[in-house]
Amino acid sequence: MKFSGKNVLITGASRGIGAQIARTLAQMGLKVWINYRSKPEIADALADEINKNGGTAAVINFDVTDEDEFIKGINLIVDTDGELSYLVNNAGITNDKLALRMKTDEFTSVIEANLTSSFIGCREALKVMSKKRFGAVVNIASIVGETGNAGQVNYSASKGAMIAMSKSFAKEGASRNVRFNTITPGFIQTDMTAVLSDEVKKAYVENIPLKRLGEASEIANGVAFLLSDYASYITGETLKINGGLYM
Ligand code: NAP
C-alpha cells in the first residue's frame, strides 16, 4: 500500500478495531496517533508494542465528545508533526434498549458520542488538510446504519447519519483534495460484541454468507486501502465489510 501522507489520528484506538487499525497503519509506515479516553496503560502498551516492532506511535488523551479537547488534540498533532494527513473516526459506543423504553437522553448521548464527535473530527480535519491540499478521512459507521436493528434506534441513527455526513463532507472536501469515505463493519469480534450471548452470535453467523464473525484486522485492511493512494479516486464511498450479511 502506498501513502503520500505521513501521519494518522485514530480515535478510540487503545482497544478493539481502533487498536488493530493503529497496528496495521503503523506496519504500513504511517506515524500513528493513538487516541484514548480512559485506561492510559492500555494505550501506552499498544504504543510500546508498535514502537518495538519498528513502527512509530504516540498516544493522545481526549474524550471525543469534548469539542475543545478534540480540537486541542488535533492542534497538538499539527504542532508536533507539521500536519495531519489522515483521520479515522473510530470511537463509538452502544446503549441498546427497545425504542419504547429508551429515554431521550439515552438516544442523544449515543448520537453525540458517535455522530457529533465524527462531525467535529471531519470539520477540524478538513480545516488542517485543506491548507496542504491533501488528506483523507475514514469514518467507521456500521451495518446497522444501513439496515436498522431492533434495540438500536439510537446507534443505527448515529451510524446511518455518519454515512450521509461523509458524503456531504466528500462533496465539500473534493475541491481541496481531501477525501471522505465510510466503512460499515458487520459483526466483528471485539469487546463490543463480546457481550452478545453465544446463542445470539450463532444466530448471526447462520445468516452471514461467509459463516463467521469478522476480525478487527479485516476492518483495518479496508481503512488502509481507503486512506492510501490506491484509493486516490474514491471519495464519498461506503465500503461494506460484513461477510456478505448485507449486500
Ligand atoms: P470497543 O471494543 O467497544 O472499543 C471502542 C473504543 O472507542 C474504545 O477504545 C473506547 O475507549 C473508545 N471510545 C468510546 N467513546 C469514546 C469517547 N467519547 N472518546 C474517546 N474514545 C472513546 O468497540 P469496537 O468494536 O472496537 O468498535 C470500534 C468502532 O467500530 C465503533 O465506532 C463501533 O461502533 C464500530 N463498529 C463495531 C462493530 C463490531 O461488531 N465490533 C460493528 C460495526 C461497527 P474506552 O476504552 O475509553 O472506552
Side-chain angles (χ1 to χ4, degrees):
M1 217 75 80
K2 189 174 166 291
F3 295 90
S4 292
K6 68 173 182 189
N7 66 354
V8 58
L9 166 63
I10 306 140
T11 66
S14 57
R15 59 192 172 94
I17 292 172
Q20 196 52 45
I21 294 171
R23 288 190 186 96
T24 299
L25 295 179
Q27 271 166 16
M28 292 179 177
L30 294 180
K31 173 177 179 181
V32 296
W33 285 88
I34 298 164
N35 161 248
Y36 71 98
R37 170 182 59 169
S38 55
K39 307 185 196 88
E41 63 288 353
I42 304 182
D44 285 340
L46 176 63
D48 285 351
E49 176 200 315
I50 288 172
N51 288 322
K52 273 186 200 134
N53 287 334
T56 308
V59 299
I60 185 158
N61 173 228
F62 59 84
D63 183 325
V64 294
T65 62
D66 184 327
E67 181 168 15
D68 290 344
E69 289 296 311
F70 201 158
I71 293 172
K72 265 192 217 155
I74 289 187
N75 288 343
L76 183 126
I77 293 170
V78 175
D79 288 347
T80 308
D81 291 350
E83 68 183 88
L84 175 66
S85 315
Y86 307 113
L87 167 69
V88 184
N89 282 311
N90 166 77
I93 59 164
T94 53
N95 188 1
D96 300 351
K97 208 164 274 182
L98 289 174
L100 288 177
R101 294 197 190 126
M102 191 178 288
K103 297 196 175 76
T104 305
D105 71 319
E106 290 168 332
F107 181 83
T108 52
S109 58
V110 171
I111 297 287
E112 211 175 293
N114 297 350
L115 175 63
T116 312
S117 69
S118 301
F119 160 69
I120 294 166
C122 287
R123 185 193 62 201
E124 296 307 309
L126 181 55
K127 275 185 204 164
V128 300
M129 291 171 186
S130 289
K131 289 186 186 146
K132 298 264 177 189
R133 288 284 190 271
F134 177 84
V137 176
V138 170
N139 292 313
I140 306 296
S142 168
I143 186 172
V144 304
E146 299 166 305
T147 62
N149 199 22
Q152 292 196 310
V153 291
N154 48 5
Y155 183 74
S156 58
S158 72
K159 296 299 190 177
M162 280 173 76
I163 298 169
M165 183 183 73
S166 291
K167 292 179 186 179
S168 301
F169 266 108
K171 290 186 175 181
E172 293 195 18
S175 61
R176 291 148 183 181
N177 194 31
V178 181
R179 299 181 295 107
F180 291 84
N181 290 294
T182 307
I183 289 181
T184 51
F187 292 92
I188 310 301
Q189 303 200 58
T190 66
D191 293 346
M192 193 175 267
T193 47
V195 294
L196 302 172
S197 69
D198 286 348
E199 213 175 25
V200 170
K201 281 188 203 159
K202 204 171 152 231
Y204 279 136
V205 167
E206 270 167 23
N207 290 319
I208 298 171
L210 285 177
K211 292 291 171 221
R212 62 176 176 84
L213 299 185
E215 303 286 339
S217 60
E218 293 172 312
I219 304 305
N221 291 340
V223 172
F225 167 67
L226 286 174
L227 292 181
S228 79
D229 296 354
Y230 286 6
S232 53
Y233 202 50
I234 301 177
T235 194
E237 189 52 84
T238 305
L239 178 60
K240 299 179 181 71
I241 305 183
N242 60 29
L245 182 56
Y246 177 68
M247 298 183 186

